[in-house]
Amino acid sequence: MELQTATVLFFLLPFIIIFIFFFFFKPVDKPIIRRSKLAPGPWKLPLIGNMHQLVGAATHRALRDLARKHGPIMHLKLGEIPAIVISSPRLAKEVLKTHDLAFADRPQCLVSKIMFFNQADIAFSPYGDCWRQMRRICIVELLGPKSIRSFQFIREEEVWKLVESVQYSLGSAVNVTEKLLSTAISITFRTAFGKRFKGDRELMNLLKEAVSWVGAFDVSDLFPSLKLLHPLSRMKPKLEKMRHEMGRIIQELIVERRDSRASSNGREENGGSCEGNILDVLIRLQDSGSDLDLPITDDNIHGVILDVFLAGADTTAITIEWAISEMIRNPKVMERAVAELRLALKGKNRVHESDIKGLSYLKMVIKETLRLHPPAPLLLPRECREAREIDGFAVPIKTHLLINAWAIGTDPEYWQDPESFIPERFENSSFDFIGNEYEYIPFGAGRRACPGMSYGLANVELALAQLLHHFNWVLPYGMKPEDLDMTETSGAAAKRRNDLYLIPTQCND
Ligand code: HEM
């Protein structure tokens, strides 16, 4: 009998050990993650995963349609890359607030590595000390309230130049898209380099090309394990050529600024005001370096300058363009915005920034524009730094995170008549731009939210006010408002697919 018990015990021992191990030595860190499953998602094809479902319609629309079938947290495979897509305010709050730190990274891709000088910028920089320092500099020194005020005269002059150039084309169709982009680049150029943009075609074309690359994926990004395919990439040489050209232009401007600083013997230009441009501030910090945790490299300067152009100029132009497009389609909104301006300006010719404060309807028009047409409808992609569980689903480390800000801003559960352009919905509402309400996040939220929000809005408000104050705008070729094509481009930036052409006529009152 004793022998029998001993034999049974002998056979049971391994099971007892395993039981004890799992019972007492359960991993203490995130046990739930091991048990929870991945979020639901559409059926995946071998190799390409869900990529075939994202071609055709604008990506944010395709993702919204998929989310309606699979839920507000959806798991996708982009080639070999796992991704989750968030499409509800509740879950946006969870990833951007509760788990902000875990999702504070940006994924690496060929574009960010090559074009953004090995991610030495802010927007594509991995989460860490370098990003923290550059972002702090951006918020405190480059785009803070003091700098925004000091750039006011640049905005006013450049927007006035826009008014003058439209004046030449009264009565004929004007390519509004091109004019807005050129004004946004001119403002950015002067704030970045402290000198006027002379309409340099080479730089203009380079910037346009650079914008079109943001958000593009290379074969090496989507199939990192298929190394044999990587040399076939046609993107790499193009990106390298562009970085070379861009680097050369920025470097020339840096040398020029250094020379002019040296010849002025450190004295600030423009009467000693702090209107030193962005490049000057970066050079000063690089040279002094005393209060910095890390030295500022030339790559940092190149990267930040590129951020300012790509994240700043295009978004500004896109927002004004959509606002005008929506007002053309909704003439009553246009009438109310113009009436408000006339009343506020009381016969004055030029709009100054001090006039903007009281233009509450214009501000609502801009809010509504950013709800229906956020220039970055999927924000910027993030990457999971630590495994997390979101809404009961596992999100493993390195998963990419996309937040569909456009789907959230047009969710019928939160917005009445969501597809209509109704600025009045913001009357007496508590929605602001800083991402406190997760139903409305055109600038993102949390640690990686847009640091250029106030600067960007100042440009948008002034240009829009000035264009409405000086001209009546009508569609060419006898088109009716409802004929205006509102199709968006696909990709990281949702701009008009077709340029906006309008006929300006002189306002008589
Ligand atoms: C209407 C204008 C603008 C809109 C709608 C906009 C929107 C955005 C969005 C959605 C993000 C991503 C936020 C996230 O991941 O949560 C972002 C990031 C960023 N934006 Fe803007 N932006 C605008 C203007 C500007 C301007 C004028 C600048 C600079 C001059 C700028 C610089 C940046 C930078 C550097 C980042 C990256 C922040 C980081 O990763 O830490 N943006 N912006």
Side-chain angles (χ1 to χ4, degrees), residues 35-299:
R35 269 185 261 132
S36 58
K37 54 184 184 337
L38 296 176
W43 193 66
K44 294 156 180 73
L45 283 177
L47 198 67
I48 62 168
N50 299 103
M51 287 178 49
H52 60 295
Q53 280 138 333
L54 304 183
V55 287
T59 319
H60 54 283
R61 288 185 185 271
L63 288 174
R64 190 269 315 263
D65 295 346
L66 288 173
R68 282 186 173 161
K69 288 187 210 143
H70 300 281
I73 174 165
M74 186 168 64
H75 184 267
L76 297 181
K77 263 306 207 32
L78 307 171
E80 293 175 351
I81 304 297
I84 55 163
V85 184
I86 296 295
S87 308
S88 82
R90 179 178 63 85
L91 294 182
K93 184 173 180 181
E94 184 128 353
V95 290
L96 295 176
K97 190 171 180 189
T98 318
H99 298 286
D100 186 24
L101 194 55
F103 291 103
D105 232 341
R106 298 274 190 223
Q108 276 207 356
C109 62
L110 196 70
V111 168
S112 61
K113 275 187 278 186
I114 297 183
M115 216 165 86
F116 289 89
F117 303 87
N118 223 359
Q119 297 173 290
D121 66 325
I122 302 166
F124 292 95
S125 167
Y127 178 77
D129 291 343
C130 183
W131 165 78
R132 211 173 288 114
Q133 174 171 288
M134 293 315 291
R135 186 174 164 105
R136 197 173 49 237
I137 290 174
C138 183
I139 288 173
V140 177
E141 304 262 1
L142 307 180
L143 301 173
K146 195 173 159 199
S147 311
I148 294 174
R149 270 197 309 278
S150 78
F151 296 144
Q152 176 177 338
F153 83 97
I154 296 180
R155 285 191 290 277
E156 292 191 342
E157 276 184 29
E158 293 300 325
V159 170
W160 189 250
K161 269 171 37 194
L162 168 68
V163 170
E164 284 174 341
S165 85
V166 172
Q167 204 87 39
Y168 285 120
S169 313
L170 285 180
S172 49
V174 168
N175 185 338
V176 179
T177 305
E178 209 157 74
K179 287 220 177 287
L180 290 174
L181 184 61
S182 152
T183 300
I185 289 180
S186 300
I187 296 176
T188 313
F189 194 88
R190 271 181 84 179
T191 48
F193 302 121
K195 63 180 216 174
R196 284 173 205 272
F197 179 59
K198 302 244 167 66
D200 178 348
R201 274 275 138 207
E202 188 193 7
L203 182 63
M204 190 91 163
N205 290 339
L206 267 176
L207 288 172
K208 276 189 189 168
E209 195 192 334
V211 166
S212 72
W213 282 114
V214 176
F217 288 113
D218 180 57
V219 65
S220 58
D221 300 324
L222 298 169
F223 304 102
S225 75
L226 300 182
K227 298 223 175 339
L228 275 177
L229 289 179
H230 299 180
L232 302 178
S233 162
R234 289 170 55 202
M235 251 169 88
K236 200 166 175 221
K238 287 184 189 163
L239 286 171
E240 277 167 347
K241 183 166 177 270
M242 205 179 61
R243 179 175 73 173
H244 178 76
E245 296 295 306
M246 198 71 95
R248 180 182 56 76
I249 294 177
I250 299 178
Q251 194 55 38
E252 275 170 20
L253 288 158
I254 293 179
V255 172
E256 198 181 301
R257 282 316 297 173
R258 279 197 187 284
D259 289 351
S260 108
R261 280 167 65 84
S263 62
S264 69
N265 224 355
R267 274 177 285 115
E268 294 287 359
E269 288 165 24
N270 300 301
S273 78
C274 72
E275 166 267 308
N277 52 75
I278 288 177
L279 185 55
D280 271 357
V281 177
L282 290 171
I283 292 176
R284 173 173 52 79
L285 290 169
Q286 187 184 42
D287 289 350
S288 70
S290 46
D291 297 332
L292 300 175
D293 300 332
L294 299 164
I296 293 185
T297 64
D298 280 355
D299 277 1

